[in-house]
Amino acid sequence: EVEVVTSGGGSVQAGGSLSVSCTVSGYIYSTYYVAVFRQTPGKEREGVAVIDSDGRTRYVDSVQGRFSISRNNVKKVTVLKMNQLRPEDTGIYFCATDSGQGTSLDRIFYTHWGQGTQVNVSP
């Protein structure tokens, strides 16, 4: 059974940095993609960043140049490094994964979800 655990997050002032980590288990092969989504009040859950097993990445426009996603296939950990954080980045961040290759940020392409972790960015 595939499982994904979300960790990290926290509180920081605007301009600061935080990380969210995704630990994946249960895949037999390493061909899978991992994304981080976020849920902000009054908005639908949106995909923030994704990385596939070949290292291809995609970011939502609002975080381009500020966030960076990477993965360690041996440790099966994916890390979203968030720099230059803004108050509008505040929300609950979720890791998600599915098998195969892909860099979609549409939640319909993700079967396995981790629990959320809170990110708070104060002005």
Side-chain angles (χ1 to χ4, degrees):
E1 181 181 355
V2 175
E3 292 185 343
V4 55
V5 176
T6 310
S7 61
S11 298
V12 70
Q13 288 188 322
S17 299
L18 290 171
S19 295
V20 171
S21 296
C22 312
T23 303
V24 178
S25 62
Y27 282 120
I28 297 176
Y29 303 105
S30 62
T31 307
Y32 58 89
Y33 47 99
V34 180
V36 179
F37 288 74
R38 67 184 176 193
Q39 184 84 53
T40 55
K43 294 184 179 181
E44 292 188 358
R45 191 175 298 188
E46 70 167 348
V48 175
V50 58
I51 186 167
D52 71 8
S53 58
D54 288 337
R56 292 175 295 195
T57 60
R58 176 175 290 185
Y59 300 89
V60 67
D61 288 346
S62 61
V63 308
Q64 189 76 41
R66 301 188 295 123
F67 291 12
S68 177
I69 191 167
S70 61
R71 65 189 273 176
N72 183 317
N73 287 328
V74 175
K75 295 183 178 180
K76 300 182 180 179
V77 175
T78 296
V79 178
L80 178 68
K81 178 67 173 177
M82 304 179 291
N83 297 318
Q84 302 172 47
L85 281 161
R86 304 167 180 170
E88 54 263 39
D89 294 316
T90 294
I92 302 173
Y93 284 65
F94 300 84
C95 296
T97 182
D98 215 314
S99 59
Q101 292 286 44
T103 56
S104 174
L105 290 176
D106 190 329
R107 60 185 297 183
I108 67 170
F109 293 108
Y110 294 83
T111 302
H112 310 284
W113 292 80
Q115 81 288 5
T117 188
Q118 183 71 43
V119 170
N120 289 316
V121 184
S122 57

